[in-house]
């Protein structure tokens, strides 16, 4: 087991905040519980289905895209539009191996919302039903235009696609994380339906949420991977690792928003409302930052009503999530240029919404 000191310090700080007396501890524990039952359990369920089917059918998507020349871009956009970053990573690896076009890379990175999609689906499914298909369509169009007009080959010469270490076995900690996920999923689904299931069935919803949150923190603290897992690993292991990684960012985003409102006395909605014309530009600029943490924070601001849908759309189309890390490792020039090319449609869509439908889904 490898302990990462910085992660250990952050986990210890979160534990101390949760154990604090008074309102601070109560608020922290409540937010950690919410993060687990409102987001993490749905992430876990989705990843189990996705990786379970991948293991069952042993389907090589990269090779399939390479053989489907006319449909490369739509398939790549679809993989990008699926929640999380796994589909986009598959396309980037296929491009580095010479199987797909650069337009396919732009399509998948334009269509992906990364791990922030899980948060949006769990908390604002109405917005997700609009945004994710819109990203899919924009990704296809942008990818086709890139393949038609961009002739530069950004593909690296040589290199390996083995971008993440394999854990190699199903571990006890993976099963321990799965244990609170199952009842947590019941609690989360009940909350969406407005049912107080803990009062009906006697489920200790608060303790389930805390157990899952701290189990995820423990896995993340000792995780041997950065964000993505190796396809050779067991689906439950991949679920535990990736859900734990996402959960930490969700917890931090929840805490950042509520701490700001409760202790700094800032009205974020009013503050951002004063600069609403530049919010789409800000959202697109944040999309340049690699990783899902900043993007999860943007989605959290939207869910809490602090920013409009146009700013969320700008960030969602512009950002590449965790897929940008392996993209930089496998094909750095392609990663940079794909991010640049995805910014234009992000701004077009976002300012179209800002001008013609300023209150849409706000």
């Amino acid at each position: 087991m490898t302990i990462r000191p910085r992660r250990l310090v952050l986990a210890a700080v979160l534990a101390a905040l949760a154990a604090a007396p008074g309102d601070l501890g109560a608020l922290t524990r409540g937010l950690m519980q919410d993060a687990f039952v409102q987001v993490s359990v749905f992430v876990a369920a989705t990843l189990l289905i996705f990786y379970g089917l991948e293991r069952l059918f042993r389907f090589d998507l990269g090779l399939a895209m390479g053989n489907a020349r006319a449909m490369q871009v739509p398939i790549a956009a679809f993989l990008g539009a699926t929640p999380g970053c796994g589909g986009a990573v598959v396309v980037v690896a296929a491009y580095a191996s010479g199987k797909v076009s650069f337009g396919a890379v732009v399509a998948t990175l334009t269509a992906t919302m990364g791990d922030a999609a899980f948060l949006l689906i769990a908390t604002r499914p109405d917005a997700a039903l609009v945004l994710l298909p819109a990203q899919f369509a924009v990704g296809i169009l942008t990818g086709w235009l890139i393949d038609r007009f961009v002739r530069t080959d950004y593909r690296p010469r040589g290199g390996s696609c083995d971008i993440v270490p394999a854990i190699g076995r199903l571990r006890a900690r993976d099963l321990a994380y799965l244990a609170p996920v199952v009842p947590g999923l019941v609690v989360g689904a009940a909350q969406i339906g407005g049912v107080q299931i803990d009062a009906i069935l006697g489920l200790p919803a608060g303790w389930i949420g805390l157990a899952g949150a701290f189990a995820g923190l423990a896995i993340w603290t000792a995780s041997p991977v950065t964000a993505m897992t190796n396809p050779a690993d067991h689906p439950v292991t991949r679920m535990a690792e990736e859900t734990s990684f996402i959960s930490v960012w969700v917890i931090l985003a929840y805490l950042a928003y509520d701490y700001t409102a409760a202790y700094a006395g800032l009205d974020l909605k009013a503050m951002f409302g004063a600069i609403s014309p530049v919010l789409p530009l800000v959202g697109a600029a944040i999309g340049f930052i690699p990783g899902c943490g900043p993007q999860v924070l943007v989605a959290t601001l939207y869910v809490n009503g602090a920013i409009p849908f146009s700013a969320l759309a700008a960030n969602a189309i512009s950002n590449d999530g965790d897929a940008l890390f392996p993209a930089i490792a496998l094909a750095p020039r392609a990663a940079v240029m794909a991010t640049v090319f995805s910014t234009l449609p992000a701004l077009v869509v976002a300012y179209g919404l800002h001008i013609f439908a300023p209150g849409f889904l706000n």
Side-chain angles (χ1 to χ4, degrees):
M1 180 184 296
T2 301
I3 301 296
R4 300 192 178 192
R6 292 182 180 178
R7 294 188 178 188
L8 181 60
V9 170
L10 179 57
V13 169
L14 291 175
L17 289 170
D23 293 339
L24 176 61
L27 176 61
T28 303
R29 291 190 297 272
L31 292 171
M32 294 178 75
Q33 293 164 5
D34 289 344
F36 184 74
V37 300
Q38 292 177 2
V39 180
S40 299
V41 294
F42 297 103
V43 174
T46 303
L47 292 179
L48 274 177
I49 294 171
F50 185 82
Y51 292 144
L53 292 174
E54 189 180 75
R55 168 70 66 95
L56 179 64
F57 293 105
R58 298 188 179 278
F59 187 62
D60 189 335
L61 286 172
L63 184 60
M65 283 190 295
N67 294 330
R69 294 292 178 183
M71 294 298 293
Q72 273 187 15
V73 167
I75 292 173
F78 175 77
L79 289 173
T82 55
C85 299
V89 172
V90 168
V91 178
V92 171
Y95 174 74
S97 302
K99 297 173 183 175
V100 300
S101 67
F102 179 59
V105 175
V106 175
T108 198
L109 296 182
T110 300
T112 190
M113 190 180 178
D115 295 334
F118 289 117
L119 173 62
L120 192 66
I121 291 170
T123 55
R124 283 295 303 269
D126 57 332
L129 283 173
V130 173
L131 184 55
L132 297 182
Q135 286 187 255
F136 173 58
V138 171
I140 292 174
L141 179 59
T142 306
W144 277 341
L145 289 173
I146 292 297
D147 277 346
R148 175 66 178 83
F149 295 107
V150 177
R151 301 300 180 186
T152 305
D153 185 7
Y154 300 107
R155 205 182 318 272
R157 298 290 180 260
S160 170
C161 292
D162 186 16
I163 54 177
V164 289
I167 294 170
R169 66 190 186 283
L170 180 62
R171 306 163 302 180
R173 75 186 78 167
D174 305 324
L175 297 175
Y177 189 75
L178 182 62
V181 165
V182 176
L185 190 62
V186 175
V187 174
Q191 284 189 1
I192 291 175
V195 178
Q196 294 296 324
I197 197 168
D198 52 337
I200 297 174
L201 300 179
L203 285 175
W207 288 109
I208 290 171
L210 280 179
F214 278 105
L217 276 174
I219 290 174
W220 175 75
T221 301
S223 175
V225 300
T226 301
M228 301 300 301
T229 51
N230 194 298
D233 283 322
H234 193 282
V236 176
T237 298
R238 301 185 70 189
M239 175 278 297
E241 286 284 342
E242 294 188 23
T243 305
S244 298
F245 179 85
I246 296 167
S247 297
V248 172
W249 284 112
V250 174
I251 289 171
L252 291 176
Y254 273 32
L255 293 178
Y257 183 87
D258 280 73
Y259 281 2
T260 300
Y263 300 114
L266 295 179
D267 186 342
L268 294 180
K269 187 174 182 178
M271 186 174 69
F272 287 127
I275 57 169
S276 59
V278 300
L279 285 180
L281 184 62
V282 173
I286 294 174
F288 275 89
I289 303 173
C292 286
Q295 328 313 333
V296 169
L297 180 57
V298 171
T300 302
L301 291 172
Y302 169 74
V303 168
N304 285 279
I307 62 173
F309 183 73
S310 58
L312 176 69
N315 176 260
I317 296 172
S318 173
N319 93 73
D320 306 324
D322 289 325
L324 193 58
F325 289 121
I328 292 172
L330 294 174
R333 292 178 63 214
V336 172
M337 294 309 301
T339 300
V340 171
F341 284 129
S342 68
T343 303
L344 180 59
L347 293 176
V348 170
V349 171
Y351 275 106
L353 288 167
H354 177 76
I355 295 170
F356 297 109
F360 184 64
L361 285 175
N362 290 346

